[in-house]
Amino acid sequence: SGVSGLFSDEFYRHVQRYLEDDGLFVQWVQLYDMDLSLVVSVFKALTKNFSDYTVYLTAGNADLMIVAKKNGVLGALRPDMFQYPAFRSALERIQVKGLQDIRIREIGSKKFLGPLFQSYQVPGNSDYYPFLDQNAAKARFMGVGAFGLLRLANGPLPYMHLISQYDESVPSLSTVSVNEGSIMTLLARRGASVQQYLLTGMFPKDAEFDDRIVSPIVRTTAVNLRRMFQDCGSFPEAVRKELLSTAAVTMLPYLTHKELEPVWNALEKPSCRASMRATPRTTPTV
């Protein structure tokens, strides 16, 4: 009780008095002990007072960082930020060494998340209608969390990439720096490792013996999938479908179309593909 006042329409309106027209406001909000309706209530209040925002996942995988702009649209991330020694040194402590390491932590922008939030029939949090204060205690008692929001960024399909316009000059997510406290970085490197194995028959040296990235299940999936296309009759159809689905879900959210195309082309040998029915044959390109 009391903290919810920092996430209200009135507080955000007050903050604006201290910002330049193009000023930025950065705020942390938790996902644990919250359900999605409470998070939505915060963002509805924020949206009334800021023209644009982007949301990132912080270390620990349980908190969001909101970067909101008073007026106008948030511009694209600029690589020259890493030219400042003090700034670069601070980011390197959490293994953020390039734009790809920031992008992998992005959950979504106002353009991406706004329609979802507006679909919820909950009010924006207000000092006069303290929706957050009145409901957060129940959420904590029930032990719920709003972690489902993260699936928009690493779900089985690259929703954010399909809806948002990404700057293709930003380095691929396959080159992210691994941070043990960031699940997103581990998942991105996992997808890149499977891609490399399917193309070359070898996992990256820095990931091959790292169970956080190439776990026994991931290794078995990649090895069997490659074998499956070399010996079509050695796997039942149900197993083929499962292998294709697992590999696709592992790679799709983190690799670009250009990175995935050679994988499917390499696996798509006419003899093996012809032996599959339509459903498993089209699984990777859903």
Side-chain angles (χ1 to χ4, degrees):
S1 180
V3 177
S4 61
L6 299 177
F7 302 91
S8 69
D9 174 26
E10 291 74 20
F11 176 74
Y12 293 140
R13 194 184 313 157
H14 183 66
V15 166
Q16 286 202 42
R17 297 170 52 195
Y18 299 91
L19 289 176
E20 299 289 348
D21 285 343
D22 62 347
L24 299 180
F25 171 66
V26 181
Q27 186 179 46
W28 157 91
V29 61
Q30 70 193 57
L31 291 177
Y32 56 92
D33 294 338
M34 299 265 278
D35 62 24
L36 191 51
S37 69
L38 298 178
V39 176
V40 168
S41 180
V42 169
F43 276 92
K44 282 192 173 183
L46 182 85
T47 301
K48 289 179 63 177
N49 296 280
F50 295 90
S51 63
D52 197 17
Y53 61 79
T54 300
V55 186
Y56 298 91
L57 183 66
T58 67
N61 310 304
D63 302 313
L64 299 179
M65 183 177 72
I66 306 169
V67 180
K69 189 170 185 179
K70 180 178 179 180
N71 291 310
V73 178
L74 283 169
L77 294 171
R78 293 170 49 179
D80 59 3
M81 70 172 74
F82 293 93
Q83 294 177 3
Y84 298 94
F87 189 66
R88 183 176 63 248
S89 176
L91 289 178
E92 284 181 350
R93 290 187 303 183
I94 56 172
Q95 289 76 50
V96 174
K97 302 175 182 179
L99 292 184
Q100 71 278 10
D101 295 327
I102 298 177
R103 177 178 158 189
I104 189 60
R105 291 163 168 80
E106 183 180 340
I107 302 302
S109 63
K110 179 182 177 181
K111 177 182 178 182
F112 178 66
L113 296 171
L116 170 65
F117 293 158
Q118 291 303 317
S119 71
Y120 274 70
Q121 300 302 308
V122 299
N125 187 49
S126 166
D127 293 340
Y128 299 101
Y129 194 145
F131 185 82
L132 183 59
D133 186 73
Q134 291 179 349
N135 293 280
K138 177 182 177 181
R140 181 176 183 179
F141 178 78
M142 298 296 291
V144 300
F147 300 107
L149 189 62
L150 306 184
R151 289 189 59 80
L152 293 174
N154 68 348
L157 290 177
Y159 308 110
M160 187 162 54
H161 183 78
L162 292 171
I163 295 175
S164 305
Q165 295 297 318
Y166 271 119
D167 183 356
E168 294 300 329
S169 65
V170 175
S172 166
L173 295 182
S174 63
T175 63
V176 299
S177 306
V178 171
N179 180 324
E180 190 168 349
S182 172
I183 185 63
M184 296 297 192
T185 66
L186 296 173
L187 292 173
R189 287 299 301 278
R190 177 177 297 173
S193 298
V194 170
Q195 178 223 29
Q196 180 169 320
Y197 180 82
L198 294 177
L199 289 175
T200 68
M202 298 179 64
F203 290 105
K205 289 184 179 180
D206 63 339
E208 184 175 10
F209 300 107
D210 190 338
D211 284 350
R212 299 170 306 164
I213 301 172
V214 184
S215 65
I217 294 177
V218 171
R219 179 183 299 276
T220 300
T221 297
V223 170
N224 285 340
L225 182 60
R226 205 161 189 269
R227 282 179 51 204
M228 184 181 80
F229 280 90
Q230 294 172 351
D231 183 5
C232 310
S234 59
F235 293 89
E237 185 174 288
V239 175
R240 297 185 198 180
K241 182 178 179 180
E242 182 64 26
L243 289 173
L244 286 166
S245 297
T246 302
V249 168
T250 301
M251 295 185 290
L252 278 173
Y254 310 104
L255 301 175
T256 66
H257 172 71
K258 291 181 179 179
E259 291 170 321
L260 287 168
E261 189 172 21
V263 176
W264 307 134
N265 289 339
L267 295 177
E268 200 176 53
K269 293 184 177 180
S271 58
C272 289
R273 190 173 190 274
S275 69
M276 293 184 178
R277 292 191 305 104
T279 300
R281 191 165 63 235
T282 58
T283 298
T285 54
V286 169

